[in-house]
Amino acid sequence: MNRKSFAPIFFVGPHFILFIIFICLPTIYGIYASFTKWNLINDPVWVGLDNYRTILSDTSSTFYTQFFNGLKNTLIFVGLSVPILIALPLMIAVALEHKQVKLKGFIQAVLYIPGLISISAAALIWLLIFNKQLGITGNVFGSETVWAANQPYAWIIIIVITVWGGVGGNMIIYRASISGVSKELYESAEMDGAGPIRRFTSITLPSIRFPLIYTFVMTTAGAFNVFGQPLMMTDGGPRQSTTVLMMYIRQLAFGHGESIAGMASAMAVLLGLVILVISALQYYVMNRNAS
Amino acid sequence: MSNQVLNNTGAEVQIKSPVQQPLQGKRFPISQYIAYLFLTVLCVIWIIPVIFGITTSFRSQAEVVSTGFRLLPVNWILDNYVTILNNTSTAPILRWLVNSIFIATTHTALVIVIISITGYGYARMNFKGRDTLFFTLLGISFFPGVVNLIPSYKIIDAFGWVNTAWAMIIPGLAGMGNIFLVRQFMKGIPKDLDESAKVDGAGDFRIYFSVILPLIKPVLIVCGLFSFTGSWNDFLWPVIVYTDVDKMPVTAGLLLLQDIYGNYRLIGQLMGSAILAIIPTLLLFLFAQKYFVQSINLNAGIKG
C-alpha cells in the first residue's frame, strides 16, 4: 500500500520539478519583472505600471516607438505569411491527392525538407540567391536592387524564406486529413455532377475543419514569435521597417550596454497577451462558423 | 484488366464504372495537368536553393564572381571545405557540429526518458488529483513562451549553465506537448495488459519497462525525431545563451559567419558551412522519412 502511494512521485515527479523550474517560475517571474526596473544583475525594483505607461502612452519615449514599430512589423509579418502558410499547403495537399500524380513521396520530401533546415543555414543560401551581383534575382531576372535594403523587397525575401521552410508541416497535416475523408463522398458528388472546385468547397473543406482551425491557430501564434528570419535576412532593415517585436525584446534585455530587462519583460507580456487574445478569437470565430 | 475488376468485385462497381469512365476522359486530364504543373514549379523553386548552395560550395571565389549565377561549377574544388574545416579559431565549424550533435542527442535521449515515465504516470497510474494536475500543467503551458524568455536566462545563469550545453539540453524537457501525445497513445493500450501483469506480481516499474515501453515505440520515435531536429535548429535561445565561440551550437555559429566571411566575400566558405550544418538533419530525414510523414497519424485530435 505504501509503495503504491509513492510510486507516482517517481513517475510524475521529475517532470513536475522541471516544469516548475523552467516554465512556471519563469512565467510568473516574467510577469513580475514587467512591473520592475531590472538590469538582469541586481534585484528588480518595483515600479508599478510605469513600464506599461511608458510603452503604451509616452510618445516621446524610444520604448514607445520601438514597441509600436515592432508590433506593426510583427503584424505585417503575420498578415503576409499566415494566409500563404495555410493556402499553399492546402493546394499542395489537394494536388497530391490526384490519383494519377506520380512521385508523390518524392514531391512531398522535396517540399518538406526545408522545414528541417535551420534558419541560419537557410538564410545564408537564400541571401546569396537574392544577392545583387551573384544571385538569381540579379543575374537571371536583371534586378538592379539590393533586395535586403529596400522595401517592399525586404519583406518579400523574409516571406519567401518563411514560406519555403514552412509549408511542409501543414502540408503533411492536410494530406493526412484529406486522405481520411471518405472516398464515397467524392464519388457520389462526382456522380451528381460536382466539379473539382465544388467538391473541394463542399466536401474537402468541411471535412478537414478541425485540422484547419488547429493549423491556423498554431501558425499564427508561431508567426507572432518571428525572430530568425528578419534577423538573418535583413537585420531589421531598411530603417527598422522589418524589426519585429522579438528583436526589440532581445535587444533590450540581452543587447549591448546595460540590460533593460524590466521594459523588455513588459513588451514580452504585451506580445504574449496579443498572442493569447488572437488565438482565442480565431478559435472562437472559426469554431462558431464551422458548426 | 478493367473487365476482371468488374467481374470480381460485383454489382457495385458495375453500376459506377460506366459513369466514371467518360468523366475521367473529360475532366481528369485538365486538372491533372494543372496539378502537375503546380507541383513541378514548386518542387523546382524548393530544390534550387539547396542545389545552388551545394554546388556553390564547390566553386572558387574567383569563379563565382566572374561567372555570376550558375547552377553547376566550371571547376569542382574542395578548397572551401578544407579552409572551413581548418578554421578552428574564429569559426570552428567542426566544434560547432560536435556541440550540436552532443546537445541534440542528449536532449533527445532525456526527452524520451522523461515523456515515457511522465506519460505512464498520467495515463496508467491512479493517484489523487491526477487529471487535475495534468490539465493544470497543460493549461499553464499554453501561456505564450515569450514571457518566460528573460527569466529563463536568469535561471540558467543561476545554475551556472550559460555557455554550457545544459542550457539547451535541460529547459526543453519541461514541455507538455510530447507528454500529451504519449499520454493519449498510452490511453489507447488496453488496461488488461497491466492487470494481468499485476496479477503476476509485477510492480509499476516492471509494467512500465516490459509491457508499456515496447508498445509505445512509434510515438517515442516521432517525439524523439522532432526533439532532435527542434533542438538542432533552435535559434533564438542559443543566440541569447552563448557568447563563447567554442561552446555554441552550429545555428548560433552560422550567425557569426555572416560577419566573419561577411558580405559574401568568401561565398564558397559560407555555403560550405551552411551545407555542413544541414547534413545531419537531412540524413535523419532520409532514414526516418516515414516517421516524419506519418507523425500526424499519432495525433488523432489534429487529424480530425
Side-chain angles (χ1 to χ4, degrees):
Chain A
M1 191 64 207
N2 246 349
R3 222 181 103 224
K4 205 176 181 184
S5 56
F6 277 112
I9 298 175
F10 285 101
F11 283 89
V12 176
H15 172 264
F16 183 77
I17 294 168
L18 287 166
F19 188 88
I20 296 296
I21 298 177
F22 294 107
I23 292 181
C24 248
L25 211 67
T27 304
I28 296 166
Y29 205 88
I31 296 170
Y32 163 71
S34 73
F35 297 105
T36 66
K37 193 168 161 30
W38 187 29
N39 63 4
L40 273 182
I41 299 162
N42 301 329
D43 285 338
V45 179
W46 183 265
V47 293
L49 285 168
D50 276 8
N51 292 334
Y52 290 100
R53 219 172 280 137
T54 311
I55 292 171
L56 294 174
S57 62
D58 183 359
T59 47
S60 63
S61 154
T62 50
F63 302 121
Y64 172 90
T65 331
Q66 287 179 342
F67 177 75
F68 281 101
N69 185 48
L71 186 63
K72 185 192 83 188
N73 292 334
T74 306
L75 285 170
I76 292 177
F77 177 81
V78 172
L80 292 174
S81 66
V82 173
I84 306 178
L85 286 176
I86 300 295
L88 194 59
L90 195 54
M91 286 159 70
I92 296 167
V94 170
L96 279 171
E97 271 307 295
H98 257 286
K99 293 185 195 77
Q100 279 95 338
V101 169
K102 304 275 190 325
L103 295 171
K104 281 181 188 172
F106 173 77
I107 295 170
Q108 180 168 279
V110 166
L111 299 176
Y112 187 79
I113 282 171
L116 298 172
I117 296 177
S118 75
I119 178 60
S120 46
L124 290 181
I125 297 172
W126 273 102
L127 279 171
L128 179 60
I129 287 185
F130 289 121
N131 187 290
K132 195 178 99 177
Q133 281 95 31
L134 312 164
I136 293 178
T137 48
N139 279 286
V140 179
F141 299 110
S143 165
E144 290 289 317
T145 329
V146 179
W147 281 42
N150 287 283
Q151 290 291 19
Y153 304 102
W155 274 124
I156 293 176
I157 64 177
I158 289 172
I159 297 301
V160 164
I161 195 171
T162 305
V163 170
W164 181 72
V167 295
N170 286 349
M171 167 189 75
I172 283 185
I173 295 179
Y174 297 145
R175 277 206 75 192
S177 336
I178 291 175
S179 72
V181 180
S182 145
K183 296 279 170 295
E184 283 157 34
L185 272 178
Y186 287 108
E187 277 160 18
S188 58
E190 220 172 320
M191 283 205 288
D192 293 343
I197 294 169
R198 184 69 207 281
R199 289 201 299 272
F200 175 75
T201 54
S202 47
I203 299 175
T204 311
L205 275 187
S207 310
I208 61 165
R209 147 178 124 235
F210 286 113
L212 268 181
I213 297 176
Y214 173 81
T215 51
F216 190 40
V217 174
M218 297 308 275
T219 308
T220 311
F224 269 103
N225 285 307
V226 61
F227 170 74
Q229 296 93 314
L231 181 79
M232 291 296 297
M233 298 302 281
T234 62
D235 203 10
R239 276 167 277 102
Q240 301 200 18
S241 62
T242 56
T243 312
V244 292
L245 213 40
M246 280 307 294
M247 289 168 74
Y248 284 123
I249 291 170
R250 175 204 169 217
Q251 198 179 308
L252 291 176
F254 305 107
H256 302 294
E258 197 185 11
S259 166
I260 316 168
M263 200 63 83
S265 297
M267 288 193 190
V269 169
L270 288 170
L271 176 59
L273 283 177
V274 171
I275 296 174
L276 268 187
V277 169
I278 297 218
S279 305
L281 221 69
Q282 282 176 320
Y283 186 79
Y284 175 74
V285 171
M286 285 191 72
N287 226 6
R288 199 188 47 181
N289 286 350
S291 55
Chain B
M1 177 66 199
S2 87
N3 266 337
Q4 236 177 351
V5 172
L6 280 179
N7 292 337
N8 287 343
T9 51
E12 204 196 342
V13 180
Q14 262 174 336
I15 299 166
K16 249 185 255 164
S17 49
V19 187
Q20 244 176 1
Q21 229 54 27
L23 270 180
Q24 275 182 349
K26 269 183 204 162
R27 235 172 230 157
F28 261 135
I30 303 165
S31 64
Q32 186 198 336
Y33 287 135
I34 296 172
Y36 252 127
L37 187 70
F38 172 66
L39 292 171
T40 312
V41 169
L42 279 184
C43 280
V44 169
I45 300 175
W46 254 241
I47 212 166
I48 274 187
V50 180
I51 293 177
F52 187 50
I54 293 173
T55 56
T56 307
S57 71
F58 291 104
R59 305 173 71 191
S60 71
Q61 179 72 17
E63 186 194 308
V64 175
V65 173
S66 62
T67 57
F69 176 74
R70 265 179 71 100
L71 212 47
L72 291 179
V74 182
N75 293 308
W76 293 78
I77 56 156
L78 279 170
D79 301 24
N80 296 318
Y81 286 97
V82 174
T83 315
I84 54 178
L85 291 176
N86 279 327
N87 180 347
T88 50
S89 53
T90 54
I93 187 132
L94 266 187
R95 189 72 212 230
W96 292 340
L97 287 168
V98 170
N99 292 343
S100 279
I101 290 171
F102 175 74
I103 289 169
T105 315
T106 316
H107 174 71
T108 306
L110 291 175
V111 161
I112 288 173
V113 173
I114 287 282
I115 63 177
S116 61
I117 61 169
T118 315
Y120 182 89
Y122 286 121
R124 314 292 289 189
M125 297 179 97
N126 290 311
F127 57 93
K128 219 180 143 215
R130 181 191 68 185
D131 290 350
T132 317
L133 178 64
F134 177 77
F135 286 109
T136 308
L137 297 192
L138 192 66
I140 296 172
S141 75
F142 280 131
F143 204 75
V146 52
V147 176
N148 65 33
L149 184 72
I150 299 167
S152 290
Y153 176 85
K154 197 63 192 164
I155 288 171
I156 292 301
D157 188 32
F159 282 124
W161 287 350
V162 171
N163 277 316
T164 72
W166 304 115
M168 283 191 72
I169 292 172
I170 304 296
L173 301 176
M176 288 297 290
N178 287 333
I179 291 173
F180 180 80
L181 286 183
V182 171
R183 177 178 171 273
Q184 291 293 101
F185 197 86
M186 279 189 192
K187 290 215 156 208
I189 300 170
K191 277 271 182 201
D192 310 4
L193 283 174
D194 306 28
E195 301 301 333
S196 57
K198 265 188 191 134
V199 170
D200 292 344
D204 277 310
F205 289 97
R206 191 63 193 280
I207 298 170
Y208 157 75
F209 202 78
S210 356
V211 180
I212 301 295
L213 208 53
L215 291 173
I216 59 167
K217 250 188 216 155
V219 70
L220 291 185
I221 291 174
V222 168
C223 291
L225 287 172
F226 282 101
S227 298
F228 187 93
T229 52
S231 170
W232 187 276
N233 290 331
D234 196 4
F235 184 64
L236 172 63
W237 184 239
V239 163
I240 290 172
V241 192
Y242 296 96
T243 48
D244 185 340
V245 175
D246 279 330
K247 296 295 192 313
M248 54 181 53
V250 70
T251 43
L254 291 183
L255 178 64
L256 299 182
L257 282 193
Q258 262 188 324
D259 297 326
I260 295 165
Y261 300 140
N263 275 333
Y264 293 84
R265 281 178 286 104
L266 295 160
I267 298 152
Q269 273 101 308
L270 269 180
M271 291 307 117
S273 310
I275 298 304
L276 288 179
I278 293 172
I279 289 173
T281 44
L282 205 63
L283 284 179
L284 199 64
F285 177 77
L286 293 179
F287 283 113
Q289 184 175 356
K290 75 168 189 197
Y291 290 103
F292 278 100
V293 171
Q294 290 169 356
S295 61
I296 212 62
N297 293 330
L298 293 170
N299 200 335
I302 305 172
K303 203 181 153 193

